[in-house]
Amino acid sequence: MSRPHGIPLPSAHRSSDSNETESAFDDDRQGQPRPREGVRQLTGAERVRTLVESNASVSLTLPGARDQGEWWTGMPAAATVTPDGDVILLVSGGSTAARAAAHAQDDDLTAVIEITDVAPVSVPHRIRGRAWLAGWLTGVGDEDRAACAALLAERHPVGELLRLHGSPQWVLLRLEVGDISVDDLWGAERVDPDDLAAAEPDPVAAHETELLQHLAAAHRDRIADLGSLLGPRESTGLTAVPLALDRLGLRVRFTCPRSASTFDARFDFPTPVGDVHGLHRAMQNLFAAAGG
């Protein structure tokens, strides 16, 4: 598919944060700390899929629909991805998006989803990334509504909303994705829509917020101990906050109080974890390696 007309996706070469920090992997100053090439990481498609399936902030913009002279932008209640790579959105039945999609056919109505990922803990430069998915928006047909509602309810706590099946309060919309861009802690890149359909969300994502908040509140000293694994970098006096967690490892943001400089360090697990039990074991091994 070609990119929908209306709102061009952001440049894949710009930073997602204008604030500058220092990277533990690359001492060049830049918007967000980026790892060097070759560092083990989730693919761009996996990162986008994880964001869509997460509770991150989602906005939907319709360039062709005007609201007081401006492009219409609204906030879907939930989103998920179908096996075919379409994005299913739950929106208010009275919204401009619901009304516009009710009359849309095929490629009549273009739309852009923007997802903003914010760290669930207090940390400098708190926005961890953004993703954009552009495509064509239509209503979910009667023949697919039950399956799409079940898929959405399986992945999000919106069961009560979806029990209002047939009620005009809530409407399911389908975005047929034509273009995807992500700009996050790992870098900026385009993602093929076919890769999004094949990708799986990270299994740690459902537990990340709770675990990061617990580590920051109850184990800040053990997180700081990870500074001993940084090699020649001076770790004395650094403050540390757990910033991100996935099946491959833990990312920590370190700050030097004396200079107020900030850098990230990534601590990889020996093997990817598949569930919360494996994650707990991997974290215990990581703390043991740091002598914590």
Side-chain angles (χ1 to χ4, degrees):
M1 297 178 184
S2 60
R3 183 186 310 160
H5 298 292
I7 303 178
L9 289 179
S11 167
H13 302 293
R14 72 170 181 80
S15 167
S16 62
D17 190 338
S18 60
N19 294 320
E20 292 183 341
T21 57
E22 181 186 0
S23 168
F25 302 101
D26 188 345
D27 288 335
D28 293 337
R29 297 180 67 80
Q30 51 192 318
Q32 278 281 19
R34 313 286 202 194
R36 290 195 180 108
E37 291 185 5
V39 174
R40 194 166 46 138
Q41 65 185 73
L42 303 180
T43 67
E46 289 173 324
R47 287 161 15 227
V48 173
R49 179 70 183 262
T50 299
L51 283 178
V52 174
E53 304 285 6
S54 74
N55 293 320
S57 174
V58 179
S59 67
L60 172 66
T61 299
L62 307 181
R66 297 284 175 173
D67 184 5
Q68 299 181 349
E70 301 292 335
W71 286 338
W72 181 86
T73 299
M75 306 292 288
T80 192
V81 179
T82 71
D84 294 330
D86 295 339
V87 178
I88 301 301
L89 302 166
L90 180 67
V91 304
S92 168
S95 65
T96 299
R99 294 195 299 270
H103 304 288
Q105 297 292 328
D106 299 325
D107 59 354
D108 286 351
L109 183 62
T110 58
V112 175
I113 298 171
E114 179 175 345
I115 307 172
T116 302
D117 179 29
V118 180
V121 293
S122 180
V123 64
H125 317 294
R126 196 166 177 179
I127 293 179
R128 301 188 298 189
R130 291 185 175 90
W132 299 263
L133 300 92
W136 300 269
L137 194 68
T138 57
V140 172
D142 292 340
E143 67 279 8
D144 296 326
R145 188 172 292 119
C148 289
L151 183 65
L152 198 62
E154 175 186 335
R155 298 173 181 173
H156 293 279
V158 291
E160 290 300 319
L161 300 182
L162 293 173
R163 287 194 183 97
L164 301 174
H165 179 65
S167 166
Q169 281 188 271
W170 298 99
V171 173
L172 291 172
L173 304 182
R174 181 191 304 273
L175 183 75
E176 185 180 359
V177 180
D179 206 353
I180 305 171
S181 177
V182 61
D183 189 355
D184 60 10
L185 295 169
W186 293 107
E189 62 182 280
R190 301 278 181 176
V191 174
D192 189 301
D194 289 338
D195 292 338
L196 177 69
E200 292 290 337
D202 187 78
V204 172
H207 311 285
E208 185 195 28
T209 293
E210 179 183 1
L211 288 172
L212 289 182
Q213 291 175 346
H214 175 71
L215 289 171
H219 299 290
R220 187 70 68 93
D221 55 339
R222 302 188 78 179
I223 297 297
D225 287 342
L226 295 176
S228 65
L229 302 177
L230 296 180
R233 182 182 292 275
E234 177 59 50
S235 61
T236 304
L238 293 177
T239 60
V241 180
L243 176 65
L245 189 63
D246 58 49
R247 71 175 187 272
L248 301 178
L250 171 70
R251 188 180 182 115
V252 176
R253 184 151 290 172
F254 291 92
T255 301
C256 178
R258 295 187 301 274
S259 63
S261 62
T262 303
F263 66 90
D264 282 8
R266 170 77 176 186
F267 301 95
D268 287 346
F269 301 142
T271 59
V273 300
D275 53 35
V276 68
H277 301 293
L279 178 60
H280 282 305
R281 288 194 298 272
M283 291 298 302
Q284 290 299 323
N285 292 336
L286 182 60
F287 289 142

